[in-house]
Amino acid sequence: MNAEIAGGISALFTVGSAIVIAYCIIRQITTYVSRRKTISEHGCKSPSRYPFWDPIFGIDVIYDAIRAVKRKTFLSEKQSHYEVYGNTHSSRLTTYPVISTIEPENIKAVLSSNFKDFEIGSPRRRAFSPILANSILVADGPEWEHSRAFLKPSFSRSQVGDLSTLEFHVQNLLREIPTNGSTVDLAELFLRYTADVTTDFMFGESILSLPQPEAFGGDLASACRDAQLGAERRFRLGIFANLVPQPAFYRSVSKVHAYMNEHVEKALRKQSQEKTVNEKDDGQETGRFVFSAEMAKLTNDRLVLRDQLGGIFFAGRDTTAALLSNLFFVCAREPGVWKHLREEIATLHGRIPTLDELKQLKYLGWCLNETLRLYPIVQGTSRVALKDLILPTGGGPNATSPIFVIKGTLVVFHLFALHKRKDLWGDDAEDFRPMRWQDEKASWKFLPFGGGPRNCIGQQFALTEASYTAVRLLQTFPGIESRDSEPWAESIGATCSNANGVKVAMLGKESDV
């Protein structure tokens, strides 16, 4: 009897297994036939292929990328890949097939036209989840839509143009810049300055690291840097990220979380007190907008508050600091640019600019655009295809045919290479020439803050802060002189800046400015 039962179970298992196998085979065949039909109907062709010897995990690609970052040659090597293998080519990252592209039409399709067919995906979520698991930066689908709606009002209010707060911190910045012609690293000062501005905006109280360097020095500054670098390294490791010991990374994450948690608790206490006394203000008794207080009105989930604040903090501090550093790196080497900027801001007659006046400084805007073109704050980004689909161009011998992209493909674009394409920008694409923006219009060949529905939510805040800061420095110092003969060298973390800093002398300080 037991033998008959065992035999029946064995037979049932065999039949079940056969059905499952048959189903899988039939599904594979029907998927293959369907894909071949789509490829044929749309004239799709395969893109060129970046050579790699590991067809399963692409370990050699991971190794090459990590080595290039350490050598500070990642950007130049990526640019050469596009020059050699085409503006769209295929490769692999662990278990993901990869399409790398710097074709504007393909980027538009991914970020805008076919937005709902792509997501940030598990590669980036896996990399950044230890530090920003609940942040808009790694959210997808309904969670992203909720985060966007949650945060957007905070960047649509008058605090984006709160120039009085910026002026307070600019004065602290000016006090740290030597007036005797000695060398100063503006990159370090800009990091402290943007930390002060960002914490003031977010928490209603600045960390004041310019007058008190120890406030954002030592452990906290290192933790922020190491946490971001570690997350980027985890992205390059792909599915192996959690297999590699990273004790220093996790210690840094803990320190960053502890700092954010402190401000989350303050915001929640503040919100509780306001409910008790039924105060109706914008986050403080003074009526001043405070980002964390506004968020605490919408949720009391501590993890959500911590990670959303962390994401905005990293973006707000590092992006503007990198933009200012790269701008002044160029200005110190281009006397004509500095002279033209000084002539333009002379129309203010030494007056502190209003928001409207900032927007009217066209040459300054062109300089910021040209800085963002040559030195993108974010060197690249990626999306994962949610279904089989077609990208408009990049396939075949002439790289002009549509490309069939299978579900699960990682589509990557490198802005550093896109912004230097000579066929898009001219033979002087490698040169800093602000006047090119006199005739340029918005297009998908220039994406310093991304594009489509997921474009940078803090773009206007960053540009306002950078513009105002640049104007006040230009008003204060008639001259700038480079004190570093080294060329720009990449430093890649959450943002991209010069590894050697910005060593300059600011000359001839004018009084009463």
Side-chain angles (χ1 to χ4, degrees), residues 421-448:
R421 279 182 55 176
K422 291 185 178 180
D423 58 324
L424 297 178
W425 297 97
D427 291 337
D428 62 353
E430 300 271 354
D431 299 335
F432 188 89
R433 189 170 68 82
M435 294 303 292
R436 78 173 75 244
W437 292 95
Q438 193 169 11
D439 302 314
E440 285 289 347
K441 296 180 180 178
S443 73
W444 288 91
K445 70 178 185 179
F446 178 61
L447 299 168

Side-chain angles (χ1 to χ4, degrees), residues 72 128 131 188 191 216-233 248-249 252-253 255-256 313-314 317-318 491-495 497 499:
K72 304 189 188 309
F128 285 85
I131 187 168
E188 175 60 30
L191 275 171
F216 198 69
D219 284 353
L220 183 55
S222 298
C224 288
R225 182 188 65 248
D226 294 345
Q228 293 175 83
L229 291 173
E232 287 292 337
R233 182 169 180 265
F249 168 70
S252 297
V253 168
K255 290 174 183 176
V256 172
F313 174 78
F314 284 132
R317 169 182 176 252
D318 293 357
S491 174
I492 299 177
T495 58
S497 58

Side-chain angles (χ1 to χ4, degrees), residues 124-137:
R124 193 156 290 278
R125 278 199 303 274
R126 182 190 302 114
F128 285 85
S129 61
I131 187 168
L132 298 172
N134 300 285
S135 168
I136 188 175
L137 300 179

Side-chain angles (χ1 to χ4, degrees), residues 45-52 81-91 98-100 393-401 403:
K45 304 290 184 183
S46 297
S48 62
R49 181 176 176 271
Y50 173 79
F52 54 93
H81 291 170
Y82 286 107
E83 291 169 354
V84 174
Y85 304 109
N87 292 331
T88 302
H89 54 268
S90 65
S91 61
V98 175
I99 297 291
S100 296
T393 189
N398 298 323
T400 56
S401 299
I403 297 173

Side-chain angles (χ1 to χ4, degrees), residues 99 169 185-186 208 217 371 426:
I99 297 291
H169 296 292
D185 185 356
L186 287 181
L208 293 176
T371 301

Side-chain angles (χ1 to χ4, degrees), residues 241-289:
N242 292 327
L243 302 179
V244 178
Q246 302 156 73
F249 168 70
Y250 285 105
R251 282 196 299 272
S252 297
V253 168
S254 295
K255 290 174 183 176
V256 172
H257 282 172
Y259 177 70
M260 293 300 159
N261 285 337
E262 177 185 341
H263 288 286
V264 167
E265 294 304 322
K266 286 182 180 179
L268 290 174
R269 284 197 301 270
K270 174 70 175 175
Q271 177 60 15
S272 177
Q273 291 167 3
E274 288 182 352
K275 284 183 179 180
T276 301
V277 298
N278 196 29
E279 290 180 357
K280 295 182 179 180
D281 57 35
D282 286 329
Q284 278 192 310
E285 289 81 351
T286 60
R288 208 185 129 218
F289 179 91

Side-chain angles (χ1 to χ4, degrees), residues 57 59 62 94 126 233-234 237-247 250:
F57 296 115
I59 290 176
I62 298 173
T94 60
R126 182 190 302 114
R233 182 169 180 265
R234 286 170 57 83
L237 287 170
I239 60 171
F240 302 111
N242 292 327
L243 302 179
V244 178
Q246 302 156 73
Y250 285 105

